[in-house]
Amino acid sequence: MALLSESAKAVAAANGPAAPTAWQAWRYRLKVALREPTTLIGVLTALLFTYLIVVPIISIVLDAARVQFGHERRLSKDVGEFTLYYLDRVLFSPVSADLFWRPLLNTLSVAMGAILLSLVIGTVLAWLISRTDMFGRRWFATALIVPYMLPAWTFALAWTTLFKNRTVGGQPGWLEAVGLTPPDWLAYGRFPITIILALHYTPFVILLFGSALRRFDSQLEDSARILGARHHQVALQIILPLMRPALLSSMVLIFAKCLGEFGVPYVLGLPVKFEVLSTSLFRSIASRQTGVAGVIAGSIMLIGIITLLIDARLVREARRFVTIGSKGSMDRQSRLGRMRLPAAGFAATVFLMSVGLPLLTLFLSTIMKLPARFTLDNFTLDYWIGRDLDTVALKTGILLSPDLWAAAKNTLTIVGLASVTSGILGLLVGYVVIRTPVRLLSVYLRQVTFLPYLVPGIAFAAAYLSLFAVPRGPMPALYGTVVILVLALIADQMPYASRAGISAMTQLGKDPEEAAQIAGAGWLRRMTSIVIPIQKGSLVTGVLLPFISGIKGLSLFVILAVPSTDVLTTYSLRLVDYHYTQAANAVVLIIAAIAYLGTLIAQKLTRTNLAEGLGS
């Protein structure tokens, strides 16, 4: 027996050590992963974002399939039991046309109209800016992007100021004040909503299509013309196929944005009962139809996810259309000759219609006693700084109103706190995604922080309302508090903050940290002394981008804010509901100024130019 044992040992020694089992290999990798706090931090952030992002979405989807409070007798079931009642009510009942199908068709028609109009305007402007010698080309490259920097419903309020008729109360519109009564189809509903959304999202086409045109090699056009191709053949058979990915991507992004747009349909659709999915969802929540809201929100999320997954597929497909460039590749500008001035006139007209006229209209409305009367005695600053005004509730100018400053304080507190937190969390996510040895954790964090980008803001707000409106375990009800707004905004802005953090950490090598670790510095010391100082620019980006987006955001706040937690956007919308036109327009101008100046400051600090790409 001893001889057998000795021989077995000899054979084992000759064959080398036994290979580790799968369990042993897994335990070793886990031990290595736990040596650094990166894995622990990754697990904690993964749990946090699961609770802030995944759980609310699951909650509102479950609301669509559970009996809600107040419906127990009608359904003969207890609260929380499984039911298909809400799904049937939204999709198949006699009221389904009003709840879902008509708003869906309206949403699709508005989105398609906005896409077509923005493509027609945007492709022409992108070509003029990128490939011609048009007058003022560089100035227009930035000026024509300004509509995207401003809240979309800024233009809706300007439209009502001009075209409002007696369908709603309050002061008459400018046209009616001079004796012209605009018809309802012009003042409200599908037509103005489509026009405004098209002008607001035309910068998408200018940015994406223009960027693709700048990378296009002019020698391909020259070769086609040498072979006898005419201008329309060059455009249809060479330029258009190569530009197709950029055009399709801009179409998909515009559709996704129109899907969740709330402010413009609310202002212009409500007077004539023209509803889209976002306003139908808002009405369901306002009337406490939680189950119905769950079905509509789930539908909006599903359409949004499918739309942006299509966009991701198109981005991958775009690689098939990459042209091979070299030192001889050219992006030569076309000479317009006698058309230079008309081209510049067209660009100037679009700028005036999308920026100049709306902002001027809003400003003039705030300093006029009576609309559309351009006499010196009609101009006043009372609506800005006046006292003892002849109104029911708003007795002072907007700058002297305590409600404005309370809303401004809430805005800076909520948006500022959420932006700083999301910026820091974004940098931590980037650090974990790049540094952790646990690939599954890296992939999960990357995907879960991007998920809110796939969900329209109003549906995401409805998901938060579903989760936090009532106490759940140790978590108290948060509806009506600042906390729910901060948490929702952090989660909603994580796609921007996390991408900024991941991009920053991708460019930072391990050498500085390893040197500090050899010198005895712990993880916290390395983060505060090395990583954050080196990546302070990316941290600023991760804070500023959510801040700018939060300042002009409406869809998220309109569901979750109450009068005590009003921010500037919801405060202005309440003024619209009360028909205080001058005050509402003044607040919108303040929001637009903050958003525009914030964008310029962000570009200055990050040394980027929005006119050269969408960035984050």
Side-chain angles (χ1 to χ4, degrees):
M1 191 72 177
L3 291 175
L4 182 61
S5 177
E6 291 295 332
S7 62
K9 291 179 180 179
V11 172
N15 293 335
T21 64
W23 169 251
Q24 291 172 328
W26 184 85
R27 286 183 61 188
Y28 175 76
R29 287 196 296 269
L30 180 62
K31 185 177 180 180
V32 171
L34 293 177
R35 286 179 182 175
E36 282 289 322
T38 306
T39 303
L40 178 60
I41 294 170
V43 170
L44 293 177
T45 52
L47 292 174
L48 174 65
F49 291 125
T50 299
Y51 186 68
L52 293 182
I53 296 174
V54 179
V55 174
I57 293 175
I58 294 175
S59 175
I60 194 167
V61 172
L62 290 178
D63 279 348
R66 294 185 302 194
V67 177
Q68 301 299 312
F69 179 78
H71 292 168
E72 305 94 322
R73 181 175 298 179
R74 176 185 299 178
L75 302 179
S76 300
K77 292 183 178 181
D78 294 330
V79 174
E81 287 191 40
F82 176 78
T83 180
L84 293 177
Y85 169 75
Y86 303 112
L87 189 66
D88 177 73
R89 180 173 176 81
V90 172
L91 298 181
F92 307 110
S93 72
V95 297
S96 62
D98 293 329
L99 289 176
F100 184 76
W101 295 114
R102 191 175 295 113
L104 174 62
L105 291 176
N106 289 340
T107 301
L108 295 177
S109 66
V110 166
M112 291 300 105
I115 288 170
L116 291 175
L117 188 57
S118 61
L119 283 179
V120 171
I121 299 173
T123 51
V124 174
L125 291 174
W127 178 73
L128 291 174
I129 292 170
S130 303
R131 301 303 297 268
T132 72
D133 61 346
M134 176 183 68
F135 287 119
R137 183 172 62 90
R138 292 186 179 276
W139 184 83
F140 282 119
T142 300
L144 291 172
I145 310 302
V146 172
Y148 184 65
M149 301 180 189
L150 306 176
W153 43 281
T154 301
F155 313 113
L157 292 181
W159 189 281
T160 60
T161 301
L162 289 173
F163 297 104
K164 185 169 70 172
N165 59 27
R166 285 299 174 183
T167 300
V168 296
Q171 281 194 338
W174 285 14
L175 289 182
E176 192 168 54
V178 297
L180 301 174
T181 301
D184 281 352
W185 68 265
L186 178 62
Y188 311 103
R190 181 180 286 105
F191 179 77
I193 294 173
T194 302
I195 296 295
I196 288 171
L197 291 181
L199 292 176
H200 182 65
Y201 293 123
T202 292
F204 272 1
V205 182
I206 297 174
L207 291 168
L208 292 173
F209 188 65
S211 178
L213 281 175
R214 281 192 292 271
R215 295 193 301 267
F216 181 76
D217 190 351
S218 300
Q219 293 180 107
L220 297 175
E221 297 178 73
D222 296 340
S223 300
R225 291 195 180 98
I226 290 173
L227 295 174
R230 296 183 179 180
H231 289 288
H232 71 277
Q233 291 176 308
V234 173
L236 294 177
Q237 298 180 21
I238 297 178
I239 298 178
L240 188 60
L242 292 174
M243 298 298 106
R244 188 170 65 190
L247 289 175
L248 291 176
S249 184
S250 60
M251 291 170 61
V252 170
L253 287 175
I254 292 172
F255 178 81
K257 292 291 185 181
C258 291
L259 185 66
E261 177 60 43
F262 172 79
V264 176
Y266 181 82
V267 172
L268 294 175
L270 189 64
V272 291
K273 298 181 180 179
F274 180 86
E275 289 206 24
V276 295
L277 286 176
S278 59
T279 54
S280 179
L281 173 60
F282 176 77
R283 182 162 57 89
S284 299
I285 293 173
S287 58
R288 301 183 183 277
Q289 300 181 55
T290 309
V292 171
V295 177
I296 298 174
S299 303
I300 294 174
M301 288 189 286
L302 181 61
I303 298 172
I305 290 172
I306 293 173
T307 300
L308 289 165
L309 288 179
I310 292 173
D311 179 62
R313 178 65 179 270
L314 292 175
V315 171
R316 289 196 297 270
E317 288 291 319
R319 297 173 184 173
R320 296 172 47 200
F321 297 91
V322 174
T323 57
I324 300 175
S326 64
K327 291 183 179 179
S329 63
M330 303 172 63
D331 60 349
R332 183 177 59 251
Q333 296 177 0
S334 300
R335 296 188 177 278
L336 295 176
R338 289 180 295 180
M339 295 301 295
R340 289 185 75 190
L341 190 58
F346 172 70
T349 301
V350 174
F351 175 78
L352 288 175
M353 290 180 60
S354 60
V355 180
L357 182 60
L359 293 182
L360 181 62
T361 300
L362 289 179
F363 175 71
L364 289 177
S365 70
T366 64
I367 59 173
M368 286 184 175
K369 298 176 184 177
L370 298 175
R373 180 178 295 179
F374 296 92
T375 58
L376 287 179
D377 61 335
N378 192 48
F379 288 99
T380 179
L381 292 177
D382 284 351
Y383 299 111
W384 287 95
I385 56 174
R387 297 180 184 275
D388 299 324
L389 301 183
D390 187 20
T391 54
V392 175
L394 199 64
K395 292 295 185 179
T396 65
I398 195 65
L399 292 180
L400 301 180
S401 171
D403 291 337
L404 171 74
W405 296 108
K409 180 182 177 182
N410 287 340
T411 302
L412 294 177
T413 301
I414 294 168
V415 178
L417 183 59
S419 301
V420 172
T421 305
S422 61
I424 295 172
L425 288 175
L427 193 61
L428 283 177
V429 168
Y431 186 87
V432 173
V433 166
I434 301 302
R435 295 285 192 263
T436 182
V438 184
R439 176 172 172 77
L440 182 62
L441 183 60
S442 173
V443 172
Y444 180 76
L445 272 177
R446 184 187 292 265
Q447 299 302 326
V448 76
T449 54
F450 186 71
L451 185 59
Y453 190 79
L454 304 177
V455 180
I458 194 162
F460 196 69
Y464 258 70
L465 186 64
S466 170
L467 181 64
F468 295 110
V470 296
R472 295 184 186 272
M475 181 67 70
L478 298 178
Y479 180 64
T481 67
V482 170
V483 176
I484 190 174
L485 294 171
V486 173
L487 292 178
L489 195 57
I490 289 172
D492 188 58
Q493 299 301 327
M494 278 313 297
Y496 309 106
S498 64
R499 263 42 191 182
I502 292 172
S503 176
M505 293 309 303
T506 302
Q507 302 171 17
L508 179 63
K510 294 183 178 180
D511 294 346
E513 284 188 85
E514 290 176 347
Q517 190 173 10
I518 292 172
W523 178 84
L524 185 60
R525 178 67 183 276
R526 298 198 302 270
M527 286 294 294
T528 56
S529 300
I530 296 175
V531 176
I532 292 178
I534 292 176
Q535 299 297 345
K536 60 184 178 182
S538 299
L539 181 60
V540 170
T541 302
V543 172
L544 279 177
L545 290 176
F547 182 80
I548 296 166
S549 179
I551 286 290
K552 65 179 184 177
L554 177 62
S555 298
L556 196 71
F557 293 115
V558 74
I559 298 292
L560 300 175
V562 296
S564 62
T565 58
D566 256 344
V567 292
L568 287 173
T569 50
T570 56
Y571 177 57
S572 64
L573 203 62
R574 294 186 198 282
L575 292 173
V576 171
D577 291 338
Y578 298 149
H579 303 298
Y580 290 143
T581 304
Q582 292 93 340
N585 292 351
V587 176
V588 169
L589 285 175
I590 293 172
I591 297 170
I594 295 174
Y596 177 70
L597 293 176
T599 303
L600 294 183
I601 293 171
Q603 291 183 158
K604 192 74 172 178
L605 292 177
T606 58
R607 298 180 181 178
T608 58
N609 186 0
L610 187 61
E612 295 177 356
L614 277 171
S616 295

